[in-house]
Amino acid sequence: MKVSVEADKCVAAGQCVLLAPEVFDQREDDGVVVLLDETPAAEQHDTVREAAMVCPAAAILLAES
């Protein structure tokens, strides 16, 4: 799995950070998503998929390998 984010779409809801804090973070000044790990470990894939599904701005993109 490869993860990417579209920061310009992000509405700073923070759901991704709550679900997968080892993969996502937020900028302190405006709360916009920061991608920490673009190729998360296999055991994190389900959580990352859930984070992408609940993102209200659809700012998380996944490419399955």
Side-chain angles (χ1 to χ4, degrees), residues 6-48:
E6 295 184 76
D8 59 325
K9 283 182 152 184
C10 181
V11 295
Q15 296 302 308
C16 57
V17 178
L18 292 173
L19 285 165
E22 56 285 327
V23 179
F24 305 102
D25 199 358
Q26 289 177 284
R27 297 190 305 217
E28 289 198 25
D29 59 334
D30 58 6
V32 169
V33 66
V34 174
L35 183 60
L36 301 175
D37 186 358
E38 68 178 25
T39 55
E43 59 269 10
Q44 296 171 321
H45 288 188
D46 287 342
T47 305
V48 173

